[in-house]
Amino acid sequence: KQKVLAAPSTRRLARELGVELSEVKGTGDHGRVTDEDVRRHLETLHT
Amino acid sequence: MVVGDLAQEVDVLVIGAGPGGYVAAIRAAQLGKNVTIVDKGALGGVCLNRGCIPSKAMISAAERYTHIKEASDVGIEVSGDVKVNMPKLVEWKNGVVKKLTGGVKSLLKGNKVEIVSGEAYFSGPNSVRVSNDESAQTYKFNDVIIATGSRPAELKVLPFDGKRILSSTDALNLQEVPERLVVVGGGYIGLELGTAYAKLGAEVTILEGTKSLLPGTDPSLTKMVTRKLKKLGVTVVTEAMVQGGEVNGDEVTVRASVKGEEKTYTGDYCLVSVGRTPNTDELGLDIAGVELDERGFIKIDNQCRTNVDHIYAIGDCAGGALLAHKASYEAKVAAEVISGQNSVIDYQAMPFVIFSDPEIAYTGLTESEAKEEGYDPVVSRFAFQANGRALSMNAADGFVQVVADKETKQLLGVQIVGPEASTLIAEAVFAIEMGANAEDLALTIHAHPTLPETLMEAAEGVFGNAIHMVNKR
């Protein structure tokens, strides 16, 4: 099944920030991961 | 010591200037790298010089000829002879190619990429020797991108002679329309060129080894194409295993075993299009320590890196789908990785396009592939016969099919056979990349009357509420 629902630019952002997309909780429709979700996840990693 | 023995030092060396190589060189230069690109032939590689572009130019010319001949269908009477002037057609096609290769050259120069003409051979993991008729020069590099592409595969029993037994390259430069053309191999290359020549007036026979044309493509898509081929007078022989052939003067006779029966097929020319071979055999890759797979393709990881850290490979020579857009995509990944970015090969949908008549295009998963991946798919098909624009173009054969997940309605794949399928598929690829569901596609306003409306309607069909067809319940 589809790994993670996220736009190409969001997938690239996650890579640039060193975030593993599959570990991010998506808040969009059907668990879609947004740029905000990626950034929020990064903050939780650093706190 | 000879002058040429002084090695030149470069940041990034790119071997091959096809759609992989030249894009890699430009992207690396954009990211501040000092780039040198080497090619033994013309800039633009196979795609520009003897592949995508010239074949599409020929297909367009052949289509235009057909339109003129069939113009009376729409009330345009053409009186007098409509003739094909093959030398002029080829000259026009060559002009198109020249314009594009010239464009590549100015782009490379505009990005300050150094262009070197010659054949490259590894002399070690960090050096390549480039030789041409006049000289030889060694280049030392920090990183290298191998983008040497592929060439037409030869049939041992029917080797190319360039005169009667043709590769796709030769078939694009014929100075006459053959009266009879035998095509060995019913993949997309044989089908595209065979169709073009049939339209230009040749009596075409396609011999395919497997059970159907376009092996690997969804049979529901090829059915429509096979029907049209029959109308064009093309003979398609499946399960035909070619045993050999002879050239006798201006003729070539091909021997094949068809379902156990020995048969012969005679034409003025024979086009052999049975696949492509990677150009990885005359590069000295063993000297560089680069590993190949059992079919001769370079093994790469998801960053286009070979088993040797600073050696990258992209495009046809690295295997996978042998498509120009796949090569260019990998080119950007490799150049970005070399420049310190964390890029990876990461796509949800690869577009596949066949310029048959009608065109075929598909991306993502078919219904059966979706099932294999554990989805419960719903399939919705919308016919071009119900699309106003297709009818007004007098080109309404075919359909658009959407495969979506039953529960989430997420788009999994789209298959199209019909007018401008090659163009229509772009929206589907984008939708899948964005993780769109069928409702997203259905709620997007599509201009009327246009062909893309079929995508919107097929998406509505997923919910059983397409307007211009009676929905299955």
Side-chain angles (χ1 to χ4, degrees):
Chain A
K1 281 212 171 191
Q2 167 102 2
K3 304 117 231 174
V4 180
L5 214 52
S9 56
T10 307
R11 304 203 296 267
R12 167 167 275 197
L13 176 71
R15 282 196 301 275
E16 276 167 5
L17 298 177
V19 168
E20 181 56 55
L21 209 56
S22 58
E23 289 168 8
V24 181
K25 188 175 157 29
T27 59
D29 261 8
H30 307 291
R32 169 192 285 270
V33 175
T34 64
D35 286 4
E36 268 313 295
D37 295 333
V38 172
R39 291 205 175 89
R40 203 175 306 125
H41 184 83
L42 188 68
E43 276 167 30
T44 62
L45 290 180
H46 289 281
T47 49
Chain B
M1 193 164 92
V2 219
V3 181
D5 281 356
L6 264 174
Q8 279 213 30
E9 300 202 5
V10 297
D11 246 357
V12 179
L13 185 77
V14 180
I15 306 174
Y22 84 74
V23 169
I26 291 173
R27 177 55 52 89
Q30 285 170 342
L31 294 171
K33 291 286 178 183
N34 195 323
V35 186
T36 297
I37 192 166
V38 186
D39 199 292
K40 62 177 173 184
L43 297 174
V46 170
C47 170
L48 260 60
N49 292 285
R50 47 193 184 278
C52 323
I53 301 300
S55 67
K56 262 80 262 177
M58 273 192 85
I59 289 166
S60 294
E63 219 164 60
R64 185 172 297 197
Y65 179 56
T66 310
H67 283 164
I68 296 168
K69 284 198 302 179
E70 293 174 354
S72 65
D73 290 356
V74 297
I76 310 286
E77 303 295 345
V78 179
S79 61
D81 284 350
V82 183
K83 279 189 229 152
V84 177
N85 178 341
M86 207 53 196
K88 179 104 189 261
L89 193 161
V90 170
E91 196 187 305
W92 167 72
K93 178 226 35 170
N94 290 344
V96 173
V97 169
K98 210 171 155 195
K99 208 172 279 176
L100 285 164
T101 54
V104 170
K105 190 174 187 177
S106 38
L107 285 173
L108 288 169
K109 288 197 161 163
N111 281 284
K112 302 201 166 52
V113 174
E114 174 95 17
I115 304 169
V116 176
S117 176
E119 219 159 320
Y121 199 88
F122 279 91
S123 44
N126 281 85
S127 61
V128 148
R129 193 153 175 84
V130 178
S131 50
N132 55 35
D133 292 344
E134 288 120 50
S135 60
Q137 172 70 52
T138 297
Y139 290 85
K140 284 200 152 159
F141 48 79
N142 293 325
D143 294 283
V144 63
I145 300 175
I146 305 168
T148 49
S150 62
R151 59 179 184 270
E154 195 157 57
L155 262 188
K156 268 190 196 132
V157 295
L158 197 65
F160 303 127
D161 69 3
K163 293 188 178 76
R164 296 287 152 187
I165 305 171
L166 313 174
S167 68
S168 55
T169 307
D170 308 321
L172 288 165
N173 288 307
L174 281 185
Q175 294 295 309
E176 60 177 7
V177 177
E179 272 181 42
R180 296 160 303 166
L181 176 67
V182 180
V183 178
V184 177
Y188 80 93
I189 295 174
L191 178 64
E192 288 186 358
L193 290 177
T195 305
Y197 274 113
K199 287 182 174 174
L200 291 171
E203 193 181 292
V204 175
T205 305
I206 302 179
L207 308 177
E208 164 58 36
T210 70
K211 284 189 173 168
S212 73
L213 276 180
L214 297 173
T217 305
D218 189 351
S220 71
L221 300 174
T222 53
K223 222 190 306 177
M224 191 72 68
V225 172
T226 312
R227 208 179 301 158
K228 191 71 181 267
L229 283 177
K230 206 176 265 175
K231 243 191 221 168
L232 269 173
V234 174
T235 310
V236 177
V237 186
T238 53
E239 292 179 78
M241 301 309 295
V242 169
Q243 310 293 326
E246 286 81 34
V247 176
N248 301 304
D250 291 346
E251 277 188 352
V252 50
T253 299
V254 176
R255 285 176 282 112
S257 141
V258 182
K259 293 163 194 151
E261 216 179 308
E262 295 298 317
K263 299 219 168 164
T264 59
Y265 301 89
T266 301
D268 317 319
Y269 297 95
C270 170
L271 161 63
V272 180
S273 51
V274 292
R276 298 188 64 86
T277 306
N279 294 327
T280 52
D281 43 355
E282 285 170 357
L283 266 175
L285 287 175
D286 47 334
I287 296 167
V290 173
E291 277 176 20
L292 304 178
D293 71 10
E294 63 288 345
R295 293 165 60 212
F297 293 104
I298 300 171
K299 289 198 233 173
I300 56 169
D301 65 11
N302 66 356
Q303 294 193 306
C304 301
R305 202 182 267 111
T306 68
N307 62 305
V308 185
D309 249 12
H310 64 284
I311 301 182
Y312 297 74
I314 57 174
D316 287 7
C317 70
L322 305 189
L323 299 169
H325 45 268
K326 176 257 190 193
S328 303
Y329 176 88
E330 289 177 346
K332 295 172 197 167
V333 172
E336 287 166 6
V337 171
I338 286 173
S339 311
Q341 296 187 8
N342 189 19
S343 295
V344 300
I345 299 174
D346 171 27
Y347 59 83
Q348 294 294 327
M350 176 71 73
F352 291 84
V353 170
I354 301 157
F355 289 82
S356 47
D357 185 3
E359 291 179 359
I360 289 175
Y362 54 95
T363 191
L365 307 176
T366 61
E367 183 181 13
S368 56
E369 286 167 346
K371 280 181 187 158
E372 274 166 37
E373 294 214 1
Y375 290 100
D376 181 10
V378 276
V379 178
S380 167
R381 187 184 277 194
F382 189 84
F384 282 104
Q385 287 290 347
N387 175 264
R389 183 63 187 130
L391 285 164
S392 73
M393 289 167 68
N394 195 30
D397 289 335
F399 59 82
V400 166
Q401 182 171 280
V402 165
V403 179
D405 180 52
K406 197 170 202 167
E407 184 199 329
T408 62
K409 301 295 186 288
Q410 193 197 327
L411 285 173
L412 303 174
V414 171
Q415 296 87 37
I416 307 173
V417 55
E420 295 293 336
S422 57
T423 302
L424 294 172
I425 200 66
E427 181 183 356
V429 176
F430 184 57
I432 294 172
E433 281 296 342
M434 292 299 289
N437 60 41
E439 197 173 14
D440 296 323
L441 198 50
L443 288 172
T444 302
I445 300 177
H446 287 66
H448 177 75
T450 62
L451 298 172
E453 288 178 282
T454 55
L455 271 162
M456 174 181 73
E457 297 245 24
E460 286 183 311
V462 168
F463 303 93
N465 62 8
I467 299 297
H468 296 93
M469 67 172 172
V470 178
N471 296 270
K472 281 185 223 154
R473 287 273 175 187

